[in-house]
Amino acid sequence: MSFDFSTVSAGATAWMLIASALVLFMTPGLAFFYGGMVRAKHVLAMLMQNFMCMALVSVTWVTVGYTLAFGKGNGFWGDFHFAFLSHMNQVVPGFTGTAAMVIAPMVFVIFQMMFAIITPALFLGSTADRWKFSSFVPFIVLWSILVYSPSAHWIFSPVGWLAKRGAEDFAGGIVIHASAGTAALVLAVMLGKRKNWREAARPHNLPMMLIGAGVLWFGWFGFNAGSALDANSVAIQAFVNTNTAAAIGMLAWLSVERLRHGKASTLGAAAGAVAGLAAVTPAAGYVNVLGALAIGLVSGIVCCFAVELKGKLGYDDSLDVVGVHLAGGVVGALLLGLFGNKAINPAGADGLFYGGGLSLLGNQALALIAVMAWAAIVTVALMLVLKKITGNRVSEEDEELGLDQALHGESAYEFGDPDQELAALLAGQEPDKSADTAKMVAATAKIVADTAKMVAEAAKASETAKH
């Protein structure tokens, strides 16, 4: 069916392009968020992996990813009708009648691409400090095609089997956070623990981490409000709900920290906000502010406890992807089954608290089980195959040296190593500054020599001028 471009709204198009840029900006924000939490010798490797997701998935999406997610196909898998973005003058399958878009299909492609990019970037927090770059690259490409695209087809596409059953996921709490969180758990277990993994959990740069969290919060408005696919009342409600859940999620997490440990941390503040954001994502355009408050509150509390499971169960989820994103996505998806409200969005369904019974809650649970199971199965399979071909984990020597130097031949910081300096201070010793001092002395000596040379040349020129 040909798309009627006369129905395109200029205002909606402008908003969706801005929202797309906001969502893309979240991936560098995530890079800084994760980068601040790893040790100094691994920070560039973490930034590199996030930026590589932007490159790898962008190419994958425009070639085959989009068509597998939103091509007609069947209820489980799209077809290749839109491969290499062909037939962009046709209606996206399922978006007809009351669901008809007021943006051009290519704008929809752009917006959905940003979701595809950030999804695999999310689980990089669980693999920090130890994943081989030669394994990471093919894994991201294959996971994007084999896990993300089918999951998006099942729920985001109106012709997907879970969408037809009535499962709801406004902006990706199931498709994005639950699938990425499941992959994070599998990857953490299969890669194994980092050397001295409990001691390695100390963030090296909390200001960087907070900047990243702020960028994520900012970009999340495009993530959730943009999922209305129009500049309308649903987008406005999603925007308000997003901010509300982030705020109450932060306050809930800090309250738990304060009561249990006596202090409220900056790391906890950022994690609480992200937990609230992840949890409200599936429900942002389907619930009122009361629902957003409840979702943010519960997620802040649940996720604060969930991050401690890795210590009790013994898996090394380096940056708490499982505790924040998986737990948050599950909480939000299930609570939508309680707080869904058709008065907010007629395209949605009423949850238990609004007279809808248990139908929506059951559909949400089924969607979570299906997506998480598929993500786990494919992730295990890919890691087993890549282990035979490239190996998945760096050597102990590379891990000790740091992935920045071992994999990329670079260093994030010119002078000193914060990890070594902190270790020295904790041991009651003065940090070794000899290397830094030598560099500074050499640089100062060069400046003095250059200055003396300039003075001598100026004096010689002056003498010549006199004669």
Side-chain angles (χ1 to χ4, degrees):
M1 181 188 299
S2 296
F3 182 82
D4 183 3
F5 285 90
S6 67
T7 63
V8 170
S9 164
T13 299
W15 160 237
M16 291 306 299
L17 291 175
I18 293 170
S20 299
L22 286 171
V23 180
L24 180 63
F25 192 41
M26 291 175 70
T27 300
L30 184 68
F32 272 75
F33 182 64
Y34 284 165
M37 288 193 283
V38 298
R39 286 175 290 175
K41 60 186 178 182
H42 302 301
V43 60
L44 288 181
M46 177 55 68
L47 297 178
M48 179 67 164
Q49 287 182 355
N50 279 268
F51 274 76
M52 281 297 292
C53 285
M54 295 168 67
L56 294 170
V57 181
S58 290
V59 175
T60 301
W61 187 250
V62 299
T63 53
V64 296
Y66 172 75
T67 191
L68 293 175
F70 292 99
K72 186 175 181 180
N74 53 51
F76 296 92
W77 197 274
D79 54 29
F80 291 95
H81 186 67
F82 300 120
F84 294 92
L85 302 189
S86 55
H87 307 296
M88 285 292 103
N89 61 339
Q90 296 181 8
V91 172
V92 181
F95 287 93
T96 57
T98 57
M101 295 183 186
V102 293
I103 56 173
M106 188 66 84
V107 177
F108 182 69
V109 172
I110 295 168
F111 182 66
Q112 290 296 332
M113 178 170 61
M114 307 314 173
F115 282 60
I117 289 170
I118 197 171
T119 303
L122 288 174
F123 58 64
L124 298 177
S126 72
T127 64
D129 304 356
R130 60 200 191 278
W131 200 1
K132 265 190 176 181
F133 195 70
S134 57
S135 172
F136 153 79
V137 171
F139 182 92
I140 295 298
V141 172
L142 294 170
W143 195 92
S144 178
I145 295 171
L146 299 175
V147 176
Y148 181 79
S149 287
S151 299
H153 185 75
W154 296 353
I155 303 180
F156 284 164
S157 172
V159 302
W161 72 279
L162 287 172
K164 286 184 175 180
R165 287 188 60 92
E168 296 181 353
D169 190 4
F170 190 74
I174 302 173
V175 174
I176 296 173
H177 293 281
S179 67
T182 301
L185 178 58
V186 173
L187 289 167
V189 172
M190 295 189 73
L191 283 173
K193 303 179 183 67
R194 292 167 292 172
K195 185 178 180 181
N196 300 321
W197 67 290
R198 295 182 187 274
E199 292 76 16
R202 187 179 297 108
H204 92 281
N205 192 328
L206 286 173
M208 177 189 288
M209 180 274 300
L210 285 172
I211 290 172
V215 171
L216 285 173
W217 193 329
F218 173 70
W220 226 294
F221 294 123
F223 200 86
N224 286 354
S227 293
L229 303 181
D230 197 356
N232 56 19
S233 61
V234 175
I236 296 170
Q237 186 69 55
F239 197 111
V240 172
N241 288 344
T242 299
N243 193 69
T244 301
I248 194 68
M250 177 193 289
L251 296 175
W253 187 300
L254 291 178
S255 297
V256 173
E257 272 195 340
R258 178 72 177 176
L259 289 172
R260 298 184 69 205
H261 308 298
K263 290 183 173 62
S265 69
T266 53
L267 183 61
V274 173
L277 290 164
V280 80
T281 293
Y286 294 128
V287 300
N288 56 25
V289 172
L290 179 62
L293 284 167
I295 291 170
L297 178 65
V298 173
S299 65
I301 296 171
V302 169
C303 293
C304 188
F305 284 98
V307 297
E308 298 182 2
L309 289 176
K310 65 180 183 182
K312 296 177 180 178
L313 299 179
Y315 62 89
D316 185 11
D317 174 18
S318 310
L319 308 181
D320 297 322
V321 181
V322 177
V324 174
H325 293 280
L326 176 57
V330 169
V331 165
L334 293 178
L335 289 183
L336 172 56
L338 305 180
F339 290 96
N341 189 346
K342 287 189 70 173
I344 298 299
N345 188 345
D350 285 327
L352 179 64
F353 294 164
Y354 290 88
L358 294 173
S359 176
L360 179 57
L361 182 60
N363 288 329
Q364 297 302 101
L366 174 63
L368 282 168
I369 292 170
V371 169
M372 291 169 64
W374 181 247
I377 292 169
V378 178
T379 301
V380 169
L382 290 176
M383 289 296 283
L384 289 176
V385 171
L386 289 171
K387 183 178 182 180
K388 297 291 186 181
I389 300 173
T390 64
N392 290 321
R393 180 164 177 159
V394 300
S395 65
E396 288 188 8
E397 293 77 13
D398 286 348
E399 184 179 346
E400 184 65 30
L401 174 63
L403 300 192
D404 293 359
Q405 284 289 346
L407 300 183
H408 307 297
E410 299 173 303
S411 179
Y413 302 101
E414 184 66 25
F415 298 115
D417 186 337
D419 293 330
Q420 295 177 359
E421 293 179 11
L422 182 57
L425 289 172
L426 291 174
Q429 303 169 358
E430 284 295 322
D432 183 6
K433 298 285 188 177
S434 57
D436 294 349
T437 303
K439 290 180 181 179
M440 294 174 66
V441 169
T444 303
K446 187 176 185 303
I447 293 172
V448 171
D450 290 344
T451 303
K453 183 178 179 181
M454 291 173 61
V455 170
E457 289 176 351
K460 183 177 180 181
S462 177
E463 190 68 25
T464 302
K466 289 180 181 179
H467 295 289

